[in-house]
Amino acid sequence: MRIVIPGGTGQIGRILDRALTAEGHEVLVLTRRPRADRELYWDGRTLGRWAEALDGADAVVNLAGRSVNCRYTDANQRAMLHSRVDSARVVGEAVAAAKRPPRVWLQMSTATIYAHHFGAPHDEASGVLGGGEPDVPRYWDFSVDIAKAWERAQELSPTPQTRKVALRCAMVMSPDRGGAFDMMLRLARCGLGGPIGGGSQYMSWIHDRDLVRAVRFLLDREELSGPVNLASPHPVAQRAFMQAIRRAWGIPVGLPATRWMAELGAFALRSDTELLLKSRAVVPGRLQEAGFGFEHPQWPAAAADLAWRRRRRQA
């Protein structure tokens, strides 16, 4: 297959590029800073010569968007919104203009689109979209608004010959530096791997190898379109999530942190507490109904695998 990955130089893009290339697929990456033969320049906003790569391609997997691992300043929130909506819109324009459009367009979205709560987990059929929940910072609504606008940009693109899937992706856990597992492992190694803000908030996650397998699955399953949750079937309370990381790395103690302590830690890491305090219990209803099986469904075993792979890379 020929697969085009806009925004393919980020963490998830590197994971998919490595795996799909190793399987023999032809992978082309669209990026603002091309450095390799398989990388093409685009600005994420306007049509250009890059659009020719989509003509005759089998699939496009759009991952473009400014990282959410940042301080949620007004400027960064605007960048997160525009980078996502603009890239989805222009990918849709390129697909619509292609003489031989890709048969499938996988568009990254986020599990953050669901409401913050501590009740039954969200699947695609019965999940409650977020916005306006009581007792949460109002700026969290903006993350939900971004997610809704992101999906709407794909949904409104006129691409009748191309199946469209919105990937409502949970935190991707991989041994790579700079990702979510790396950030949480650093917290644990600094002694801060205990419950944060009480620790009852749910963490939804997906192992990197299950992410790759789910993308392959969705590329081939013609009956699946629209929103699909990419998440392990077993979300975990934050206190148990961090406990599993500590055990996997051999860290005996993790100090608890209040909300204001979490704010200080997030500021030091140039990140935001929403990533740690929002309760996201998301399950992969449509994937499992379609017959997808997870290799790493349980977090303790997944954390042990990630820690082992991380140590091997350091050796």
Side-chain angles (χ1 to χ4, degrees):
M1 293 176 65
R2 179 148 66 93
I3 303 169
V4 180
I5 307 182
T9 56
Q11 183 210 11
I12 297 175
R14 291 194 301 270
I15 291 168
L16 290 176
D17 187 4
R18 285 195 305 260
L20 295 172
T21 300
E23 292 174 2
H25 299 291
E26 179 187 359
V27 178
L28 298 175
V29 171
L30 306 185
T31 174
R32 288 179 171 84
R33 298 179 183 85
R35 296 187 176 94
D37 291 341
R38 296 185 297 106
E39 296 179 355
L40 305 175
Y41 173 78
W42 83 326
D43 64 5
R45 298 188 308 273
T46 56
L47 288 173
R49 293 191 61 182
W50 61 266
E52 298 171 6
L54 271 66
D55 200 331
D58 296 286
V60 56
V61 184
N62 183 23
L63 308 176
R66 194 217 191 282
S67 173
V68 299
N69 189 17
C70 63
R71 298 299 294 167
Y72 284 11
T73 63
D74 289 344
N76 284 343
Q77 286 183 319
R78 287 194 299 271
M80 284 189 279
L81 172 64
H82 293 303
S83 62
R84 285 159 172 72
V85 173
D86 289 347
S87 63
R89 172 189 51 78
V90 78
V91 166
E93 291 174 2
V95 171
K99 294 180 181 178
R100 295 170 298 160
R103 59 182 177 79
V104 58
W105 169 12
L106 305 187
Q107 171 64 49
M108 182 56 68
S109 180
T110 173
T112 299
I113 199 168
Y114 292 109
H116 165 85
H117 77 182
F118 299 88
H122 303 284
D123 64 13
E124 300 89 342
S126 61
V128 178
L129 300 188
E133 299 98 312
D135 303 323
V136 303
R138 287 281 57 88
Y139 77 89
W140 286 13
D141 290 350
F142 194 74
S143 297
V144 175
D145 292 341
I146 289 174
K148 291 176 179 178
W150 204 3
E151 292 191 3
R152 190 161 54 247
Q154 184 196 35
E155 182 182 353
L156 295 178
S157 295
T159 58
Q161 299 180 62
T162 300
R163 177 170 57 93
K164 296 184 286 192
V165 181
L167 308 175
R168 291 181 175 172
C169 194
M171 290 187 294
V172 177
M173 295 293 156
S174 83
D176 301 303
R177 293 194 180 277
F181 181 75
D182 180 54
M183 181 185 74
M184 294 177 188
L185 180 59
R186 278 189 287 156
L187 287 173
R189 294 176 74 178
C190 291
L192 301 176
I196 296 176
S200 60
Q201 65 274 25
Y202 281 100
M203 311 282 284
S204 289
W205 58 279
I206 186 169
H207 188 282
D208 62 335
R209 288 178 175 163
D210 278 330
L211 170 80
V212 172
R213 295 177 58 252
V215 166
R216 287 198 216 103
F217 187 85
L218 291 168
L219 289 174
D220 293 334
R221 297 302 290 251
E222 296 292 336
E223 74 276 17
L224 288 175
S225 62
V228 173
N229 292 346
L230 295 189
S232 157
H234 301 289
V236 181
Q238 186 270 337
R239 66 167 65 90
F241 194 89
M242 294 304 296
Q243 182 183 57
I245 292 177
R246 297 199 316 270
R247 286 180 175 171
W249 202 260
I251 301 168
V253 176
L255 297 177
T258 61
R259 283 177 174 259
W260 70 265
M261 293 169 67
E263 287 284 356
L264 290 177
F267 182 81
L269 294 171
R270 306 301 300 162
S271 187
D272 195 271
T273 54
E274 184 188 15
L275 300 174
L276 297 174
L277 295 177
K278 180 170 181 176
S279 185
R280 301 173 176 89
V282 178
V283 291
R286 299 191 69 198
L287 277 178
Q288 291 190 301
E289 288 171 5
F292 181 80
F294 285 80
E295 288 185 354
H296 299 275
Q298 301 284 352
W299 177 238
D305 172 77
L306 294 168
W308 177 75
R309 289 164 61 199
R310 177 63 175 268
R311 289 185 189 277
R312 285 189 65 194
R313 294 186 182 189
Q314 289 182 349

